[in-house]
Amino acid sequence: MATRLLDDKFLRNLKTKLAREDFFDTYCPGLVIRVTAPGRRAWNLVFTIPGTRNRARMTLGTYPATPLKEARDLAQEAKGKLERGKDPRKEEAADNKAMTVAELIEERMRLEVRDIIDPKSGVVRRVGLKSAKEIERRHNQNIVPVVGDVALRDFKITHLNKVIDPILERGHERSAGMAYSDLQTLFNFAVQRGELEYNPIAKARKRGSTGKERERALTLAEIKKVWTSLPHVMAQSHHVPQ
């Protein structure tokens, strides 16, 4: 646990070698950014439950989807409820019962993707997917920063486009296709878990490719060179030494 004045430069480069690490904001006491080894950064507010001496923690969003200023505003709003003797978690639960995309990702990673390790013995109780690290990397790179804070019940094809469009604009067809597949798998998981009644992007047109990504196409000059050299290459391929 560390305490410092948080700023965007620090948050952008925030990493940890531990399973998880907390950094408290001196500007807004109680506000903390929690970073995990895979690189996920989540805002929390740590507070004392009204009428008790018990400490509690509530989630305010993930970074950078929820920027620093917004996280501080949310923390101050929750602290205002605390001053009135109200538990901000209960009011939040009443206002928003839906799980977010980032929370759903974490739920699937825990239940279907990662190894489950006994914290006392260190023994692996179930072997996770071989591609677990790659799946987590894709989620943290392409999905969580863009739509991590969106409630599942509010997710629409427009949100899917917000994830896919920038990847395609960078020319990464395969990465776009994988992001599309990851989101389809994620929402099918949500249906199986009872978090949603149906997959909101089930009918969305597939975009990108899951095949091997081609770096570039041949130029006209390169095509001409190949074409003009073809007779010579063919003749050489049919020549049999005596």
Side-chain angles (χ1 to χ4, degrees), residues 69-191:
K69 183 181 183 305
E70 185 177 343
R72 285 172 172 165
D73 290 343
L74 291 170
Q76 293 292 2
E77 181 182 347
K79 289 164 75 172
K81 294 175 182 178
L82 288 168
E83 287 186 356
R84 297 191 293 273
K86 298 179 179 179
D87 188 332
R89 297 173 303 171
K90 294 181 179 179
E91 292 199 358
E92 180 188 49
D95 294 338
N96 183 15
K97 296 180 181 179
M99 180 182 285
T100 65
V101 172
E103 290 169 340
L104 178 65
I105 288 174
E106 181 60 28
E107 185 81 351
R108 178 170 179 259
M109 293 298 299
R110 181 176 65 85
L111 294 175
E112 290 191 349
V113 181
R114 297 192 194 109
D115 289 338
I116 296 177
I117 303 175
D118 189 296
K120 293 182 178 179
S121 65
V123 176
V124 177
R125 289 159 42 200
R126 175 182 61 78
V127 177
L129 300 179
K130 291 182 179 180
S131 56
K133 289 184 179 180
E134 172 60 16
I135 292 172
E136 195 151 14
R137 183 198 67 79
R138 292 200 306 263
H139 283 39
N140 287 328
Q141 178 176 320
N142 297 322
I143 299 175
V144 173
V146 183
V147 295
D149 282 350
V150 177
L152 301 186
R153 66 186 181 190
D154 297 332
F155 200 95
K156 298 178 177 62
I157 292 179
T158 52
H159 293 107
L160 171 66
N161 292 337
K162 287 182 179 180
V163 173
I164 303 299
D165 288 350
I167 303 174
L168 288 175
E169 287 169 3
R170 295 194 296 270
H172 298 166
E173 288 278 339
R174 185 176 184 278
S175 295
M178 294 303 297
Y180 171 91
S181 298
D182 285 339
L183 283 167
Q184 290 288 2
T185 300
L186 194 64
F187 282 109
N188 287 334
F189 171 77
V191 173

Side-chain angles (χ1 to χ4, degrees), residues 12-35:
R12 283 194 299 269
N13 299 306
L14 187 55
K15 296 179 181 179
T16 184
K17 294 182 179 179
L18 306 176
R20 63 187 182 187
E21 191 172 1
D22 288 343
F23 296 87
F24 283 82
D25 184 23
T26 56
Y27 183 88
C28 182
L31 178 64
V32 57
I33 185 83
R34 168 167 285 184
V35 58

Side-chain angles (χ1 to χ4, degrees), residues 235-242:
Q236 289 291 324
S237 66
H238 287 85
H239 174 69
V240 179
Q242 299 297 321

